[in-house]
């Protein structure tokens, strides 16, 4: 019940035990094509350029940024949590001139504040996290696409924490590059990063892709603006996933099976139904911790559906409570990073764990452990409050 990774959906585990095939086996290429089509639905996009980057979520972030950003380019990062710091670091490593605006952790930006910074900085890329699990809040994105079009800026978004459990509309919101991971609301293991790219983003990437001698036409000159990574050169990766099927890395077949199954499970439930389920169990968890007399952390109006932040009560050693929950009850919850370490717990209700039994068991165990740590918690205060949410929704 932490903020990710989470318990993997049994169907995904089963799919990942299937036999491997050769890279150009028609079954393999058909599986890749099917997975691309499934992730177009998951991202709600018509982008032809939708694929998996092999690696954890930050491989997707790094691939998108290193492929779009040239040394000297300006990149603007509205930073509201730990993963905003990661975007800054990766953009800096790409050689970008990085500009940052900040809000205190737990809050998000008004679109006007982002627009003002775009006007001032005139970046090539605006890079923003959707839901930052470190703070449990999600930045509204629906107004940013229009702002970016008006100022001819490419809009990149990391939706690892939010996709599948919170509404996410790639095309309707005007996003140019989006990356995700499986280990949050998609209910899979870490190790595959679904990515989608708008035609505008593909144009930039195609203009910078390198020719790999021995596979492509040999002797093409190496350009100064070429993408500074081979593994994360999305131009080359697109040639591999696209009709040319030009060899690049050996696709991580087992992760491909896992990613495909994550998308199938999600789409069989339905995107809207999955978001509603995450909201229901997230609301129940929030009501539950409040019913135990705890104070939720962050701007609740912008709370993600799938993770609740809780202020650790004064006098309680947060890590001792977490250790006892894990050792005695087999339940994991998280703390946070940086300024929030030891100040908040983060309790996830995501993917396969967004279930009533998981919510109620966690609240019952938390009540027992808090009482042992000297907190005056109301008897069954958490489970009763959560049950109230379920009754109201029934
Ligand atoms: C959890 C999370 C990640 C995880 O990155 P990994 O490389 O898979 O560890 C990235 N971005 C956000 C916003 C997250 O919440």
């Amino acid at each position: 019940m932490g903020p990710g990774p989470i318990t993997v959906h049994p169907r995904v585990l089963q799919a990942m035990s299937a036999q491997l095939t050769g890279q150009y086996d028609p079954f393999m290429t058909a599986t890749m094509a099917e997975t691309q089509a499934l992730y177009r639905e998951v991202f709600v996009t018509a982008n032809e350029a939708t694929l998996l980057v092999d690696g954890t979520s930050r491989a997707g972030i790094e691939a998108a940024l290193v492929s779009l950003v040239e040394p000297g380019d300006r990149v603007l990062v509205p930073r509201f949590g730990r993963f905003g710091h990661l975007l800054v670091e990766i953009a800096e490593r790409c050689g970008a001139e990085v500009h940052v605006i900040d809000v205190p952790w737990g809050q998000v930006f008004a679109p006007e504040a982002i627009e003002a910074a775009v006007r001032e900085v005139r970046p090539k890329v605006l890079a923003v996290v959707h839901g930052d699990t470190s703070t449990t809040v999600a930045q509204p994105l629906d107004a940013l696409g229009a702002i970016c079009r008006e100022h001819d800026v490419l809009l990149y978004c990391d939706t690892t924490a939010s996709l599948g459990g919170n509404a996410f509309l790639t095309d309707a919101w005007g996003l140019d590059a989006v990356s995700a991971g499986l280990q949050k609301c998609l209910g899979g293991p870490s190790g595959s990063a679904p990515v989608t790219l708008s035609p505008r983003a593909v144009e930039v990437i195609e203009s910078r892709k390198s020719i790999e001698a021995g596979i492509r036409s040999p002797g093409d000159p190496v350009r100064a603006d070429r993408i500074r990574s081979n593994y994360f050169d999305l131009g080359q990766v697109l040639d591999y996933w696209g009709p040319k099927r030009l060899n690049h890395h050996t696709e991580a077949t087992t992760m491909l099976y896992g990613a495909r199954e994550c998308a199938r499970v999600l789409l069989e439930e339905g995107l809207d139904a999955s978001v509603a389920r995450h909201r229901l169990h997230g609301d129940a968890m929030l009501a539950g911790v409040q019913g135990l007399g705890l104070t939720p952390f962050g701007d609740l109006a912008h709370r993600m559906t799938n993770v609740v932040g809780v202020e650790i009560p004064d006098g309680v050693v947060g890590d001792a409570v977490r250790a006892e929950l894990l050792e005695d009850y087999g339940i994991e919850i998280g703390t946070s990073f940086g300024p929030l370490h030891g100040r908040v717990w983060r309790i996830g209700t995501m993917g396969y764990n967004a279930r009533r039994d998981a919510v109620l068991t966690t609240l019952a165990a938390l009540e027992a452990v808090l009482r042992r740590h000297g907190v005056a918690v109301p008897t069954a205060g958490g489970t009763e409050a959560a049950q109230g949410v379920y009754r109201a929704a029934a």
Side-chain angles (χ1 to χ4, degrees):
M1 303 303 283
I6 46 80
T7 313
V8 172
H9 195 290
R11 266 180 58 185
V12 176
L13 288 177
Q14 197 172 23
M16 293 180 73
S17 67
Q19 184 53 277
L20 307 188
T21 61
Q23 290 206 78
Y24 295 104
D25 186 311
F27 174 79
M28 179 71 181
T29 50
T31 303
M32 291 168 79
E34 183 193 344
T35 304
Q36 292 180 284
L38 289 165
Y39 276 93
R40 285 185 198 108
E41 283 189 57
V42 171
F43 282 122
V44 197
T45 182
N47 288 340
E48 187 62 28
T50 302
L51 45 79
L52 304 178
V53 169
D54 292 340
T56 67
S57 318
R58 79 175 60 199
I61 302 172
E62 193 145 2
L65 291 183
V66 79
S67 296
L68 290 172
V69 176
E70 282 174 44
D73 282 342
R74 281 188 300 277
V75 173
L76 174 64
V77 181
R79 182 168 59 186
F80 59 99
R82 182 232 163 143
F83 289 102
H85 282 274
L86 180 63
L87 296 185
V88 170
E89 202 220 280
I90 292 175
E92 280 171 354
R93 285 178 190 253
C94 295
E97 179 190 316
V98 183
H99 295 256
V100 181
I101 51 174
D102 281 295
V103 285
W105 288 27
Q107 295 175 26
V108 296
F109 293 89
E112 297 75 33
I114 295 177
E115 179 163 27
V118 166
R119 279 182 197 283
E120 194 187 313
V121 173
R122 289 176 295 107
K124 175 180 177 184
V125 176
L126 173 65
V128 64
V129 174
H130 183 216
D132 202 308
T133 32
S134 67
T135 71
T136 74
V137 297
Q139 171 64 43
L141 299 173
D142 50 337
L144 302 188
I147 294 169
C148 286
R149 294 289 144 131
E150 191 190 328
H151 297 278
D152 200 22
V153 172
L154 290 163
L155 178 50
Y156 162 78
C157 177
D158 173 8
T159 180
T160 304
S162 45
L163 188 68
N166 301 260
F168 192 86
L169 305 172
T170 302
D171 289 0
W173 292 349
L175 306 173
D176 291 298
V178 180
S179 68
L182 305 183
Q183 74 268 31
K184 308 279 167 75
C185 302
L186 292 177
S190 62
S192 179
V195 168
T196 190
L197 303 163
S198 73
R200 267 182 4 139
V202 171
E203 209 175 295
V204 172
I205 291 166
E206 285 290 326
S207 76
R208 300 185 60 217
K209 103 180 152 198
S210 298
I211 306 301
E212 193 180 321
I215 292 181
R216 297 140 204 276
S217 40
D220 278 18
V222 170
R223 289 190 321 268
D225 69 344
R226 73 168 169 175
I227 295 170
R228 303 261 166 135
S229 169
N230 170 287
Y231 194 70
F232 292 138
D233 182 333
L234 285 178
Q236 292 195 358
V237 179
L238 278 168
D239 280 349
Y240 177 47
W241 281 77
K244 293 188 202 159
R245 297 271 173 215
L246 285 181
N247 184 259
H248 186 247
H249 61 288
T250 309
E251 182 52 22
T253 314
T254 303
M255 287 312 304
L256 173 69
Y257 295 156
R260 177 175 66 163
E261 198 65 13
C262 285
R264 281 173 163 171
V265 168
L266 172 60
L267 294 170
E268 279 171 29
E269 179 180 15
L271 284 177
D272 292 347
S274 176
V275 171
R277 174 171 58 88
H278 281 86
R279 183 171 299 119
L280 173 65
H281 297 295
D283 284 352
M285 184 63 85
L286 175 64
V289 295
Q290 288 173 315
L292 287 172
L294 302 172
T295 307
F297 171 80
D299 171 5
L300 293 185
H302 294 102
R303 193 174 73 77
M304 278 196 282
T305 57
N306 51 303
V307 56
V308 172
V310 185
E311 289 186 11
I312 298 170
D314 283 343
V316 171
V317 181
D319 285 350
V321 168
R322 290 174 56 230
E324 214 168 296
L325 274 172
L326 185 62
E327 279 159 29
D328 292 353
Y329 298 87
I331 294 173
E332 181 188 68
I333 66 168
T335 178
S336 191
F337 306 100
L340 301 185
H341 185 88
R343 263 191 61 205
V344 305
W345 290 310
R346 293 178 302 152
I347 308 178
T349 47
M350 52 180 94
Y352 188 62
N353 291 348
R355 298 195 318 270
R356 184 196 297 232
D357 63 304
V359 168
L360 294 176
T361 308
T362 302
L363 289 168
L366 185 60
E367 176 188 340
V369 175
L370 284 173
R371 188 168 292 122
R372 282 203 54 204
H373 282 256
V375 184
V377 279
T379 302
T383 49
E384 274 311 310
Q387 293 282 26
V389 171
Y390 291 127
R391 273 195 301 274

